[in-house]
Amino acid sequence: MPLLTPEDFEPWVGRRVRVSTVPQAVEVTLERIERRPALAPGLDFREPFSLFFDAPAGVYLLDATYEFDCGKGGPHAIHITQLVPSATLRHYQAVFN
């Protein structure tokens, strides 16, 4: 199974992504990709990066792994964590080291 890279998600920035949840799927928007420097040059398998998703306030996801349908090669099992919500949106982050 190939490791996901930031390039796999670049076409989806600004687009809605379907997340498999019960009892029905929800959609979140991939707002941005944040690239980070390598932790140990020459030892990393891939460039570390994070994905940041926004969702309406009514879409509440737990810190867990969900299937995200981002198209190319998907769906992908992605673990997300909640960030501090704003007045109208919930924010989530997925970290890839």
Side-chain angles (χ1 to χ4, degrees):
M1 178 170 146
L3 293 176
L4 296 170
T5 66
E7 292 78 16
D8 293 321
F9 296 98
E10 285 176 348
W12 292 91
V13 173
R15 296 178 63 188
R16 285 188 268 179
V17 177
R18 189 175 179 89
V19 182
S20 294
T21 57
V22 175
Q24 62 192 28
V26 297
E27 289 187 337
V28 298
T29 301
L30 177 55
E31 285 301 317
R32 73 181 194 280
I33 300 169
E34 185 177 288
R35 296 169 183 260
R36 293 187 316 277
L39 299 173
L43 296 179
D44 286 331
F45 293 104
R46 66 171 162 212
E47 172 187 11
F49 67 100
S50 294
L51 303 176
F52 292 88
F53 298 95
D54 287 347
V59 175
Y60 181 77
L61 299 171
L62 301 173
D63 292 7
T65 301
Y66 298 92
E67 282 192 350
F68 281 68
D69 187 359
C70 297
K72 182 182 174 186
H76 302 295
I78 298 175
H79 185 84
I80 59 168
T81 57
Q82 302 174 63
L83 301 174
V84 177
S86 61
T88 59
L89 295 172
R90 293 196 182 272
H91 309 284
Y92 302 95
Q93 178 182 20
V95 177
F96 295 81
N97 290 323

